[in-house]
Amino acid sequence: MAADIGTGLIAIGAGLAVGLTGLGAGMAEKDVGAAAVGAITEDQTLFGKAMIFMVLPETIVIFGLVIAIMAIFVM
Amino acid sequence: MFRRNGKKGNYAYTVARVKAKKSLLMKEEDYSKMMMMTVPEMSRYISETGYQKEMVDLAVRSSGLDLLEHATYTNMAKVFSTILEASEGELSDMLSAYLAKWDIWNMKVILRGKSYGLDANGIKEDLVPAGSLSAESLDKLIAIDSQEDIIAAFGKMAHVTFTPEVLAAQKAGINLEEIEDYLDKFYYTRLVNSVDTSSRPSLLFLNFVRQEIDLENLETILKLKVEGIRGDAVLKYIIPEGKHIDMKLAMQLANAESIEAMIPDLAGLDFYENIKDALPTANKSLLGVLAGLKGYAMQQAKKFSHLYPLSVIPVLDFMIHKENEVDNIRIIARGTESGLSKEEIKALLVI
Amino acid sequence: MSLPESMSRIVIVGTKSRMDEAIEAFYSVKALHLIDHTTGADGLSIGTPKASNSKASERLLKVKAMEKELGINKHTDSAKVTIEDVKSQISSDGVENIEGEILSVLDKRNDLNQRITELNSKKKNLELLVAIPVELELYSGYKSITSIVGSISEDPTEALKAVANSESFISYKKKEGGVVAVFVKSTDRDAVAAILADYGFVEISVPEGTGSVADNLHITEESIAALTAQLESVEKEIEVLRIKHKTFLRATDEQLSIEIEKGEVPLRIAVSDYSYMLDAWVPTKKVEFVKTELESKLGNDVYVEFEETRGRNLHEEEEAEERFKTVPTKQNNGAITKEFEYARSLVSIPKYQEIDPAVLIMIFLPLFFGFMIGDCGYAIPFIILGAYGLKVTHHKDWRAIATVLFFGGIWSFVFGFFFFGEALGMHFITGPEVILVNAGGTSVTWEYLLGVHFPDWFSGILPYGHGIGKLDQVSMLLKLSVYVGIVHLLIGYVCGFINKRTQHNTKVAFFEKGGWIISFIGMVIFCYALTQVMISKQDFSGITLNLFIIGLILLIVGIIVNWKTEKAQAIMELPGIVGNILSYTRLAAIGMSKAGMALAFNYIVFGMIIPYTAAGPDWSAIAFVILGILMFAFLHLVIWTLGILSAGLHALRLQYVELMTKFFDGNGVLFNPLKVKREKTISVNKEITNKEV
């Protein structure tokens, strides 16, 4: 694989897009997750609802993924 | 004190747990059903709504009102301790400081119980081991005979210092109120002073505590007023650092001729709305006013827990509601047992 | 795709004198969902519990307490008893009679436990004191001399030398710490205590007694042993009691609970001096049955009036009185779907007016699970475990998991066999591009392992002749996932539309959900055109351009339709659609991660541990083969276990988050008719029929 600097930068950019959004989602999910576990401890029937709220911040990563895909395939 | 372990609290987790617990508290319908029941029925009824473990643990040894009262308090202590265990960092520090009020409560119960000549089991029924003193430590206190030694031992265990005047008054055999008021005052003063005013979460907490001090002070003033005590004799029981009632206002209230004469001073305060209907009858019975104040405290806690969802306030809000639930259950049980009518019981409940 | 069963509301009025009988009748029809009476409505207050409830409550609490103390719970195996038997035993004070017997044994146990605890702490202190050559009676009993005894963590010898008129005994070992006993004038006590405090001093109380510490320790140990032996015999007594009373206690528990529940019915209905009145929901098809049944049992003393059959349109709910607003949900699902109701109920119970998503979960949850696992080798244990679970367990959590494992396992087998063509991460067929381990590659196939050549018809049924490689045809799998997602989401949107249509009318449904369907389709076409241009590098003309324009137009139409109800949300939520669709790429991604792990593990086993020759693996190196097979089993067990978690949770999440949020409101109330469930008590008649069988 002969790669020039441009390709490398694109790869780094794509990595950053996924990595940083993942970090962001993680930070957001930290509190939601703690709260979800807390709520489930008291009332197990809340599992489904807690799960829905828990994964909401994940959307951010998916946007990161879109950017990464665009970076790799479009540029 | 609140920087002891320097860790931020786990607000999201604790608050979520507490909110889930709060949603399981009794509703108005539960109380109206319970008013139709006898005490054993009530015990069984609440054993299906969160008091199961305590009921089952205690039902072997006791029954009737004793069982219900003991189980509700044990349950409350258990619930509070669970919350404290679940919390971390500054949140945990704040809560344990706040829960120290149950040490004071337990001490009062023990002293009262001893002076009425109750046996150990009789005293234990009213204990709420949710503070820093465990049930075992409290057992040790109960085992001590003389009041003096109890006070000394308690001071050592709960790190409470008694002034020579209080000890002298106690030795002189004056009523217990002296030392009880001292304990309250000591608790609140220590609590207020221990709050680190540089952090926002603990400022919220401080605000909340100071409001509680207001209510406590007003209660003291009214009680003494009914007994006909006013002026400086009242002031020495006043806990400083109240939010609305500062020393000046406290003095005015204390000096007022009668409860009616206090109304103009009280009218400007936040909680006047809650107590204005009950005030005219306060001379006969303070219960209405006290229920009003409790209702106000609950409203405030609710309001602030909505404003600051990730703070210590929702936890305190739950604690107040839980305590109120237990009080309500006990009021209904005692009321039913002593043959009060449904209306009379209902008037005493805070819902 | 069924709505909950249709419900009707009835009012039952009857004479109070026959209320107990009436309550029995209500329970026997098993179709009355009581609407709790709230005091104030109609000026009628709720009734009081049956008079016998008070005594029954007291007894029930005692029974429960005794069950707990004896360690009897609902899993305890106990015989069935006839109702009449239990009743007569209860009324002849059966509970009170055994109470004394059980209490005395429990007291014995508590007492022994307490004494053992005390002795143990005494033993602990004595063990510390053994190191100090002072007899026990010498520690106390002086007028002006006092002793300070305790454990220490550092050696205080030097510091104690400074104390005048004292005698100290110190036993100290560097790592274990030690013990110190200081005899001083009573007046110097505080000073010594202050010195010792710096050496980690913890005071211990010296046990009372005479003679040497060692002797005392010996005696204490003996009495602990004696008490422990006694405790064991008491435990045996308790075990005897447990076996003796378990049947009675379980049966009494059940019988009293049922009696109390029935006795508390008056608390939920309106009761006046001479009559009672209650409102209840009844499944519409059972109204007539309930009516005739009650009237035949109670004759003229009951009057049943039909009030309404609630339609699905929400305006009916709005017009209803507050306590009649919510209609209970009686789910209308088939046997298999029922098993998936639990997974749905973890989110919420459907409202009376909406589609129960359990059907969709039944279809898609195992499908997604199977696709993500996609491996015959993992599928078979899933199927076996699931089938076993469904057969033995009745606990709803485990049942739900077993159901998913079973059906998911079947799908997983189907995908694994016909689509991916692999088992345990290895393809059956060695494809033309595969570089096997013995040729310097990393792949292992079953053909290579077994040294056989599968018949050609077999490779004929597999895609590409050897199955889809999870790590080879990545973009194809990703695309497939996205298409599956589009279908799945579209179903969600359509369900939303149907819900709104039933709850309101087509117009409302069009503006609230129809716009979203248009936007969604527009977005899909638009993004398809975009990817064609940007990723596949096609010209921006012809079909692509047309698709682009159609997509854009649909998007705009969708936004306009949505604008009325959603305002700015109509635009802001659009990226969310893309997010939702791309979220389905996890279907491929999870499969890939599993395949990656399996590839690595298989390479470890067959490329690194088990030796190979040009012809295939060399099975003759027994030691390596055994090690390799053990490793193989362990590593694949890891993947398999992770599979349950990751595939299970992600499949579930796709239902909860992506699908159900599109149409499901929930917050319904489950239909909960008055009925009793007996497990430990049976009626006499039944027993006779049982015997006849």
Side-chain angles (χ1 to χ4, degrees), chain B residues 38 41 44 57 60-61, chain C residues 53-54 68 103 107 260 264:
Chain B
T38 61
E41 280 163 1
R44 197 209 57 85
D57 280 349
V60 195
R61 311 278 155 201
Chain C
N53 256 24
S54 191
K68 189 225 147 198
L103 265 185
D107 279 340
I260 290 169
E264 273 180 2

Side-chain angles (χ1 to χ4, degrees), chain B residues 209-222:
Chain B
V209 172
R210 287 176 57 197
Q211 197 166 294
E212 226 180 66
I213 293 178
D214 274 351
L215 303 182
E216 199 75 27
N217 279 340
L218 187 66
E219 195 182 321
T220 317
I221 295 174
L222 284 170

Side-chain angles (χ1 to χ4, degrees), chain B residues 59-294:
Chain B
V60 195
R61 311 278 155 201
S62 53
S63 60
L65 196 58
D66 287 347
L67 169 65
L68 183 122
E69 298 202 325
H70 198 172
T72 44
Y73 269 170
T74 315
N75 175 272
M76 178 160 75
K78 167 94 184 316
V79 169
F80 289 172
S81 314
T82 323
I83 299 175
L84 184 62
E85 277 162 30
S87 63
E88 286 171 3
E90 61 176 12
L91 178 61
S92 166
D93 293 343
M94 280 190 259
L95 291 179
S96 63
Y98 182 77
L99 285 174
K101 86 171 187 185
W102 294 107
D103 289 337
I104 306 290
W105 163 274
N106 291 333
M107 177 64 181
K108 288 183 191 172
V109 169
I110 294 175
L111 287 179
R112 289 254 157 190
K114 288 274 175 190
S115 72
Y116 295 150
L118 290 181
D119 65 348
N121 279 331
I123 296 177
K124 264 188 214 166
E125 269 165 31
D126 283 329
L127 292 182
V128 183
S132 62
L133 300 189
S134 63
E136 290 79 46
S137 321
L138 292 170
D139 282 349
K140 276 184 201 154
L141 279 183
I142 297 175
I144 301 173
D145 282 329
S146 88
Q147 252 184 34
E148 255 167 75
D149 293 344
I150 295 179
I151 293 174
F154 175 75
K156 219 168 161 188
M157 285 178 184
H159 309 290
V160 174
T161 44
F162 293 93
T163 57
E165 294 90 63
V166 178
L167 292 177
Q170 188 273 324
K171 245 180 215 162
I174 313 177
N175 57 17
L176 283 169
E177 272 163 34
E178 190 88 6
I179 197 159
E180 288 181 357
D181 284 318
Y182 176 79
L183 283 170
D184 281 335
K185 204 168 163 179
F186 182 89
Y187 162 70
Y188 278 113
T189 320
R190 182 169 67 177
L191 187 55
V192 168
N193 290 333
S194 68
V195 176
D196 166 22
T197 48
S198 66
S199 94
R200 218 177 104 78
S202 43
L203 269 182
L204 267 176
F205 175 57
L206 180 65
N207 201 15
F208 185 88
V209 172
R210 287 176 57 197
Q211 197 166 294
E212 226 180 66
I213 293 178
D214 274 351
L215 303 182
E216 199 75 27
N217 279 340
L218 187 66
E219 195 182 321
T220 317
I221 295 174
L222 284 170
K223 270 184 187 160
L224 293 172
K225 190 124 309 187
V226 173
E227 287 172 28
I229 304 169
R230 42 192 199 89
D232 285 344
V234 177
L235 272 190
K236 74 172 180 191
Y237 297 114
I238 297 297
I239 306 159
E241 303 274 358
K243 190 179 174 199
H244 298 293
I245 307 181
D246 53 7
M247 273 318 202
K248 191 169 146 260
L249 185 57
M251 183 123 64
Q252 281 178 29
L253 291 172
N255 286 334
E257 293 284 331
S258 63
I259 288 179
E260 286 77 42
M262 287 167 67
I263 293 181
D265 282 328
L266 289 176
L269 296 172
D270 270 5
F271 43 78
Y272 181 65
E273 280 297 306
N274 291 66
I275 55 172
K276 70 174 179 196
D277 295 331
L279 267 181
T281 58
N283 273 325
K284 270 177 250 145
S285 156
L286 271 177
L287 290 172
V289 179
L290 296 185
L293 289 178
K294 204 151 108 190

Side-chain angles (χ1 to χ4, degrees), chain A residues 31-48:
Chain A
D31 272 353
V32 189
V37 172
I40 297 170
T41 320
E42 296 299 331
D43 184 357
Q44 295 200 352
T45 58
L46 291 172
F47 173 78

Side-chain angles (χ1 to χ4, degrees), chain B residues 29 32-34 36-41 43-45 47 52 55-64 67, chain C residues 36 45-50 53-54 57-58 60-62 64-65 68-69 103 106-107 110 260 264 267:
Chain B
E29 307 93 80
S32 31
K33 279 181 188 169
M34 280 166 62
M36 296 292 183
M37 297 180 185
T38 61
V39 174
E41 280 163 1
S43 300
R44 197 209 57 85
Y45 188 77
S47 81
Q52 174 143 35
M55 278 294 171
V56 169
D57 280 349
L58 298 168
V60 195
R61 311 278 155 201
S62 53
S63 60
L67 169 65
Chain C
D36 279 28
S45 108
I46 53 173
T48 49
K50 202 170 154 185
N53 256 24
S54 191
S57 299
E58 212 178 311
L60 180 61
L61 280 174
K62 286 208 187 305
K64 288 208 187 271
K68 189 225 147 198
E69 293 289 343
L103 265 185
L106 291 178
D107 279 340
N110 288 352
I260 290 169
E264 273 180 2
L267 285 171

